[in-house]
Amino acid sequence: MSTDQYHEPPSELSQETRTFARMCASLAEEAEAIGWYEQRIAVEHDPVAKAIMLDSLAEEYKHFSMELEFLLRAKPQWRATAQGILFTDGDIVEHGEEAEEEAEDVEG
């Protein structure tokens, strides 16, 4: 089993921390796959191939979203920060600053 995703000895990490690390790695892989599909779709001329890639892209969106939700449920401060930013109108950076300040109260 590869341990490249760990920055500390896996044997010293709890099962919860190892699961969290695996989900972070999966989230990053899904984000990378979304980027690849976006590029492939942008240059594909065959309509059937493009339709298949679009279907695959939708799957990647689903996987990314499920993994993100898992991670947000595991970390209340992260969830509180995300709730102040995601699905809002207006200035993203401004919302981020406000959400970060409010989320600090969740952790501590």
Side-chain angles (χ1 to χ4, degrees):
M1 175 180 157
S2 174
T3 58
D4 293 343
Q5 68 198 30
Y6 301 115
H7 296 282
E8 300 295 332
S11 62
E12 295 181 24
L13 301 173
S14 69
Q15 181 61 48
E16 180 179 291
T17 299
R18 291 193 312 270
T19 296
F20 189 82
R22 283 192 290 272
M23 292 302 286
C24 285
S26 292
L27 185 73
E29 291 164 2
E30 298 299 342
E32 187 174 47
I34 289 167
W36 291 342
Y37 278 115
E38 289 287 344
Q39 292 176 49
R40 292 171 186 160
I41 290 163
V43 298
E44 183 54 59
H45 297 287
D46 183 288
V48 175
K50 192 171 202 170
I52 293 167
M53 289 179 206
L54 285 166
D55 185 72
S56 296
L57 177 60
E59 286 289 313
E60 301 301 342
Y61 288 155
K62 178 183 78 174
H63 298 156
F64 180 93
S65 298
M66 291 187 310
E67 290 159 3
L68 179 60
E69 181 62 20
F70 178 92
L71 293 167
L72 294 176
R73 289 180 185 187
K75 300 293 178 181
Q77 184 178 11
W78 188 359
R79 183 175 201 81
T81 301
Q83 285 176 325
I85 301 167
L86 298 175
F87 311 110
T88 61
D89 295 323
D91 188 291
I92 295 169
V93 174
E94 185 177 305
H95 289 310
E97 294 300 322
E98 293 168 358
E100 182 178 29
E101 288 177 20
E102 292 175 18
E104 287 174 356
D105 294 336
V106 171
E107 194 64 22

PDB file of all heavy atoms in Angstrom, residues 27 30 58-68:
ATOM      1  N   LEU A  27     -10.406  13.653  -3.127  1.00  0.00           N
ATOM      2  CA  LEU A  27     -10.953  14.937  -3.551  1.00  0.00           C
ATOM      3  C   LEU A  27     -10.015  15.607  -4.554  1.00  0.00           C
ATOM      4  O   LEU A  27     -10.459  16.119  -5.594  1.00  0.00           O
ATOM      5  CB  LEU A  27     -11.186  15.838  -2.339  1.00  0.00           C
ATOM      6  CG  LEU A  27     -11.869  17.165  -2.632  1.00  0.00           C
ATOM      7  CD1 LEU A  27     -13.342  16.953  -2.946  1.00  0.00           C
ATOM      8  CD2 LEU A  27     -11.730  18.088  -1.423  1.00  0.00           C
ATOM      9  N   GLU A  30     -10.258  13.855  -7.881  1.00  0.00           N
ATOM     10  CA  GLU A  30     -11.480  14.213  -8.600  1.00  0.00           C
ATOM     11  C   GLU A  30     -11.348  15.599  -9.223  1.00  0.00           C
ATOM     12  O   GLU A  30     -11.759  15.816 -10.362  1.00  0.00           O
ATOM     13  CB  GLU A  30     -12.701  14.161  -7.683  1.00  0.00           C
ATOM     14  CG  GLU A  30     -13.013  12.804  -7.099  1.00  0.00           C
ATOM     15  CD  GLU A  30     -13.319  11.718  -8.119  1.00  0.00           C
ATOM     16  OE1 GLU A  30     -13.640  12.035  -9.283  1.00  0.00           O
ATOM     17  OE2 GLU A  30     -13.243  10.543  -7.747  1.00  0.00           O
ATOM     18  N   ALA A  58     -19.826  14.673 -15.466  1.00  0.00           N
ATOM     19  CA  ALA A  58     -20.903  14.743 -14.476  1.00  0.00           C
ATOM     20  C   ALA A  58     -20.644  13.782 -13.316  1.00  0.00           C
ATOM     21  O   ALA A  58     -20.913  14.112 -12.153  1.00  0.00           O
ATOM     22  CB  ALA A  58     -22.250  14.443 -15.136  1.00  0.00           C
ATOM     23  N   GLU A  59     -20.110  12.611 -13.609  1.00  0.00           N
ATOM     24  CA  GLU A  59     -19.754  11.653 -12.555  1.00  0.00           C
ATOM     25  C   GLU A  59     -18.667  12.222 -11.649  1.00  0.00           C
ATOM     26  O   GLU A  59     -18.715  12.053 -10.429  1.00  0.00           O
ATOM     27  CB  GLU A  59     -19.276  10.327 -13.168  1.00  0.00           C
ATOM     28  CG  GLU A  59     -20.380   9.478 -13.745  1.00  0.00           C
ATOM     29  CD  GLU A  59     -21.269   8.882 -12.672  1.00  0.00           C
ATOM     30  OE1 GLU A  59     -20.742   8.335 -11.680  1.00  0.00           O
ATOM     31  OE2 GLU A  59     -22.493   8.970 -12.827  1.00  0.00           O
ATOM     32  N   GLU A  60     -17.689  12.890 -12.251  1.00  0.00           N
ATOM     33  CA  GLU A  60     -16.610  13.474 -11.461  1.00  0.00           C
ATOM     34  C   GLU A  60     -17.159  14.568 -10.547  1.00  0.00           C
ATOM     35  O   GLU A  60     -16.732  14.689  -9.390  1.00  0.00           O
ATOM     36  CB  GLU A  60     -15.504  14.031 -12.358  1.00  0.00           C
ATOM     37  CG  GLU A  60     -14.864  13.018 -13.283  1.00  0.00           C
ATOM     38  CD  GLU A  60     -14.227  11.827 -12.604  1.00  0.00           C
ATOM     39  OE1 GLU A  60     -13.950  11.872 -11.389  1.00  0.00           O
ATOM     40  OE2 GLU A  60     -13.985  10.830 -13.288  1.00  0.00           O
ATOM     41  N   TYR A  61     -18.097  15.375 -11.047  1.00  0.00           N
ATOM     42  CA  TYR A  61     -18.731  16.392 -10.203  1.00  0.00           C
ATOM     43  C   TYR A  61     -19.405  15.741  -8.993  1.00  0.00           C
ATOM     44  O   TYR A  61     -19.306  16.231  -7.868  1.00  0.00           O
ATOM     45  CB  TYR A  61     -19.794  17.174 -10.974  1.00  0.00           C
ATOM     46  CG  TYR A  61     -19.292  18.144 -12.016  1.00  0.00           C
ATOM     47  CD1 TYR A  61     -20.120  18.484 -13.081  1.00  0.00           C
ATOM     48  CD2 TYR A  61     -18.041  18.739 -11.956  1.00  0.00           C
ATOM     49  CE1 TYR A  61     -19.717  19.398 -14.050  1.00  0.00           C
ATOM     50  CE2 TYR A  61     -17.623  19.647 -12.918  1.00  0.00           C
ATOM     51  CZ  TYR A  61     -18.468  19.974 -13.957  1.00  0.00           C
ATOM     52  OH  TYR A  61     -18.080  20.876 -14.910  1.00  0.00           O
ATOM     53  N   LYS A  62     -20.107  14.638  -9.261  1.00  0.00           N
ATOM     54  CA  LYS A  62     -20.802  13.929  -8.177  1.00  0.00           C
ATOM     55  C   LYS A  62     -19.805  13.410  -7.158  1.00  0.00           C
ATOM     56  O   LYS A  62     -19.970  13.615  -5.949  1.00  0.00           O
ATOM     57  CB  LYS A  62     -21.642  12.783  -8.746  1.00  0.00           C
ATOM     58  CG  LYS A  62     -22.368  11.968  -7.675  1.00  0.00           C
ATOM     59  CD  LYS A  62     -23.117  10.802  -8.264  1.00  0.00           C
ATOM     60  CE  LYS A  62     -22.151   9.681  -8.588  1.00  0.00           C
ATOM     61  NZ  LYS A  62     -22.802   8.449  -9.043  1.00  0.00           N
ATOM     62  N   HIS A  63     -18.751  12.749  -7.627  1.00  0.00           N
ATOM     63  CA  HIS A  63     -17.753  12.186  -6.711  1.00  0.00           C
ATOM     64  C   HIS A  63     -17.077  13.280  -5.900  1.00  0.00           C
ATOM     65  O   HIS A  63     -16.902  13.150  -4.683  1.00  0.00           O
ATOM     66  CB  HIS A  63     -16.701  11.396  -7.481  1.00  0.00           C
ATOM     67  CG  HIS A  63     -17.256  10.223  -8.214  1.00  0.00           C
ATOM     68  ND1 HIS A  63     -16.634   9.688  -9.315  1.00  0.00           N
ATOM     69  CD2 HIS A  63     -18.380   9.494  -8.026  1.00  0.00           C
ATOM     70  CE1 HIS A  63     -17.348   8.669  -9.766  1.00  0.00           C
ATOM     71  NE2 HIS A  63     -18.412   8.543  -8.994  1.00  0.00           N
ATOM     72  N   PHE A  64     -16.701  14.376  -6.567  1.00  0.00           N
ATOM     73  CA  PHE A  64     -16.068  15.485  -5.866  1.00  0.00           C
ATOM     74  C   PHE A  64     -16.994  16.014  -4.767  1.00  0.00           C
ATOM     75  O   PHE A  64     -16.566  16.231  -3.634  1.00  0.00           O
ATOM     76  CB  PHE A  64     -15.730  16.609  -6.856  1.00  0.00           C
ATOM     77  CG  PHE A  64     -15.064  17.799  -6.218  1.00  0.00           C
ATOM     78  CD1 PHE A  64     -13.674  17.878  -6.172  1.00  0.00           C
ATOM     79  CD2 PHE A  64     -15.800  18.831  -5.668  1.00  0.00           C
ATOM     80  CE1 PHE A  64     -13.053  18.976  -5.587  1.00  0.00           C
ATOM     81  CE2 PHE A  64     -15.191  19.923  -5.079  1.00  0.00           C
ATOM     82  CZ  PHE A  64     -13.813  19.999  -5.038  1.00  0.00           C
ATOM     83  N   SER A  65     -18.253  16.190  -5.101  1.00  0.00           N
ATOM     84  CA  SER A  65     -19.216  16.738  -4.142  1.00  0.00           C
ATOM     85  C   SER A  65     -19.432  15.810  -2.953  1.00  0.00           C
ATOM     86  O   SER A  65     -19.519  16.269  -1.807  1.00  0.00           O
ATOM     87  CB  SER A  65     -20.544  17.033  -4.841  1.00  0.00           C
ATOM     88  OG  SER A  65     -20.356  18.006  -5.848  1.00  0.00           O
ATOM     89  N   MET A  66     -19.515  14.504  -3.205  1.00  0.00           N
ATOM     90  CA  MET A  66     -19.699  13.555  -2.098  1.00  0.00           C
ATOM     91  C   MET A  66     -18.478  13.545  -1.187  1.00  0.00           C
ATOM     92  O   MET A  66     -18.613  13.527   0.051  1.00  0.00           O
ATOM     93  CB  MET A  66     -19.971  12.151  -2.640  1.00  0.00           C
ATOM     94  CG  MET A  66     -21.313  12.010  -3.312  1.00  0.00           C
ATOM     95  SD  MET A  66     -21.781  10.314  -3.790  1.00  0.00           S
ATOM     96  CE  MET A  66     -20.357   9.725  -4.660  1.00  0.00           C
ATOM     97  N   GLU A  67     -17.293  13.567  -1.768  1.00  0.00           N
ATOM     98  CA  GLU A  67     -16.075  13.565  -0.956  1.00  0.00           C
ATOM     99  C   GLU A  67     -15.947  14.854  -0.163  1.00  0.00           C
ATOM    100  O   GLU A  67     -15.578  14.837   1.020  1.00  0.00           O
ATOM    101  CB  GLU A  67     -14.857  13.324  -1.855  1.00  0.00           C
ATOM    102  CG  GLU A  67     -14.841  11.899  -2.368  1.00  0.00           C
ATOM    103  CD  GLU A  67     -14.012  11.689  -3.615  1.00  0.00           C
ATOM    104  OE1 GLU A  67     -13.372  12.639  -4.109  1.00  0.00           O
ATOM    105  OE2 GLU A  67     -14.008  10.547  -4.118  1.00  0.00           O
ATOM    106  N   LEU A  68     -16.280  15.986  -0.795  1.00  0.00           N
ATOM    107  CA  LEU A  68     -16.246  17.252  -0.075  1.00  0.00           C
ATOM    108  C   LEU A  68     -17.217  17.234   1.102  1.00  0.00           C
ATOM    109  O   LEU A  68     -16.868  17.651   2.215  1.00  0.00           O
ATOM    110  CB  LEU A  68     -16.573  18.413  -1.020  1.00  0.00           C
ATOM    111  CG  LEU A  68     -16.589  19.797  -0.379  1.00  0.00           C
ATOM    112  CD1 LEU A  68     -15.235  20.147   0.243  1.00  0.00           C
ATOM    113  CD2 LEU A  68     -17.004  20.843  -1.404  1.00  0.00           C
TER     114      LEU A  68
END
